[in-house]
Amino acid sequence: MRISVVDVGSNTVRLAVVDARDGAPLPVHTAKHPLRLSEQVDGDRRLGPRAVRRIVAAVTDACAEAERWGSEEPFVFATAIVRDAPNRDEVLGAVADSTGVRLRVLPGEVEAELTFLAARRWMGWRAGPLGVLDIGGGTLDVAFGRGRLPDFAVSLPLGARRLTREHLHDAELPGEEELRALRRYVRHQLRDVAARIRWEGPITMAATSRTFTQLARLCGAPAGRHGPFVPRELHRSALRSAVSDLAALPVARRAELPGISAPRAAQSLAGALVGHTAMKLMGIRRLTISPWAIREGILLRRIEGDGAAWAEPVVSPGAPRVLRVAGQS
């Protein structure tokens, strides 16, 4: 069976086509289409007509590419930049009308749960009690569990793109006071979740997402060309130094650093600051980078035939985030 997933993010639309064999998603083809939605969001986080046209075109191309590779109809979902937009329903409707494709949005806690599932499968049972951090454009997702699914999962408004826009005001070189204020805000948001992670310890901690992958590369982890099976870690001490280095550089210079891509250079400082603050508050000295994340979690759910209740868009923009416990999906 050949299946696929299309991930509409703030910077790109990513397609993953896999063969489902022996309970695992075996890679067949991947592709990405530039989107840059974060550059087209107004002050109220609304997605304008140009952004919608870009989504429609990218989803159309990705779905056609999945079909050419012999995949069943892909699961197409959008992350926080669409989920949290005040005109989300208009965007979803426009995509459906133009393409016939159902673009889904998942509650942040469901994204955290799916990411945990993927990291657990990658890390294996020998990891023992497992915590997972995932920094996206709009949220920081945190999950912990002893089994296949997390015992708790939470999504916090601490995404790298969101914090860059709202707290660093897209400044080329934010001042010390701005950075201190941002760190205070992050600590406040993380206080209760960090206490839970410390209470559960000692545990294995993993990190997923492009943000953590790029930060790990910046801090000395092997490059992606060496493949997914090369161990990659991110150490808190190295990340602390990276925060200082990124803060001292304008955006264009950050993109010259190892691992930092041009589309993510502007938000790399906020991502590093959130990652370091989370590690410090949670008492984490080292993170293991998992190459499997939410896309693989969705594919695993499809392979395992768990149904699709978790895929329903049950969160409205602005609705309070609630704890999602394993077994409720």
Side-chain angles (χ1 to χ4, degrees):
M1 179 175 65
R2 183 162 289 183
I3 59 177
S4 58
V5 61
V6 176
D7 173 359
V8 179
S10 58
N11 289 306
T12 57
V13 169
R14 294 179 180 271
L15 165 69
V17 181
V18 304
D19 282 337
R21 293 181 184 171
D22 301 322
L26 304 179
V28 172
H29 175 69
T30 61
K32 61 181 181 179
H33 304 263
L35 206 54
R36 303 286 182 89
L37 290 183
S38 57
E39 299 174 1
Q40 302 170 57
V41 178
D42 64 22
D44 295 324
R45 293 181 292 145
R46 295 177 63 86
L47 293 166
R50 185 183 178 194
V52 174
R53 288 194 297 270
R54 284 199 169 195
I55 294 172
V56 167
V59 168
T60 299
D61 291 346
C63 289
E65 194 166 354
E67 184 177 4
R68 288 196 298 273
W69 280 85
S71 169
E72 295 180 359
E73 180 180 352
F75 183 97
V76 186
F77 77 102
T79 53
I81 195 164
V82 174
R83 182 184 67 224
D84 295 339
N87 61 332
R88 182 191 73 182
D89 292 343
E90 298 173 24
V91 175
L92 301 183
V95 173
D97 291 343
S98 300
T99 67
V101 173
R102 182 184 178 193
L103 177 60
R104 295 171 168 89
V105 288
L106 308 178
E109 290 72 27
V110 175
E111 289 191 5
E113 182 178 291
L114 291 166
T115 300
F116 179 93
L117 171 65
R120 166 61 80 189
R121 186 64 62 86
W122 182 267
M123 300 284 289
W125 292 108
R126 70 176 184 173
L130 179 66
V132 178
L133 303 180
D134 185 305
I135 300 175
T139 61
L140 166 67
D141 296 340
V142 184
F144 166 82
R146 294 174 174 81
R148 168 177 166 271
L149 294 176
D151 298 325
F152 81 91
V154 65
S155 186
L156 301 170
L158 298 176
R161 171 187 48 79
R162 182 198 298 263
L163 295 180
T164 300
R165 186 183 67 247
E166 296 180 357
H167 294 268
L168 301 182
H169 312 295
D170 293 313
E172 282 279 314
L173 290 170
E176 285 296 325
E177 183 51 41
E178 284 182 300
L179 293 175
R180 282 194 294 268
L182 176 56
R183 201 178 283 276
R184 284 195 297 269
Y185 175 78
V186 173
R187 285 199 299 264
H188 176 75
Q189 290 286 331
L190 275 171
R191 181 182 55 198
D192 294 339
V193 175
R196 174 67 185 268
I197 293 294
R198 289 197 309 271
W199 185 81
E200 295 285 359
I203 60 179
T204 298
M205 290 297 302
T208 70
S209 76
R210 292 292 296 172
T211 296
F212 270 123
T213 300
Q214 292 193 1
L215 290 173
R217 175 71 184 114
L218 175 63
C219 293
R225 66 178 179 273
H226 297 296
F229 298 108
V230 174
R232 292 176 174 86
E233 294 182 340
L234 177 59
H235 292 259
R236 190 173 85 201
S237 58
L239 188 53
R240 181 183 63 231
S241 298
V243 172
S244 299
D245 293 342
L246 290 167
L249 294 174
V251 171
R253 293 286 307 281
R254 294 176 198 167
E256 298 172 358
L257 297 173
I260 305 300
S261 64
R264 295 176 180 271
Q267 64 189 51
S268 59
L269 172 57
L273 188 147
V274 170
H276 178 260
T277 304
M279 293 179 75
K280 187 173 182 179
L281 288 179
M282 295 175 185
I284 303 166
R285 295 190 177 275
R286 178 183 64 186
L287 290 169
T288 299
I289 304 300
S290 167
W292 278 11
I294 185 170
R295 289 188 293 276
E296 288 76 16
I298 289 172
L299 292 167
L300 286 167
R301 277 290 182 97
R302 293 189 68 183
I303 291 169
E304 295 168 357
D306 280 353
W310 50 271
E312 297 303 314
V314 296
V315 169
S316 298
R321 300 291 187 247
V322 296
L323 187 67
R324 186 176 183 85
V325 180
Q328 292 180 343
S329 56

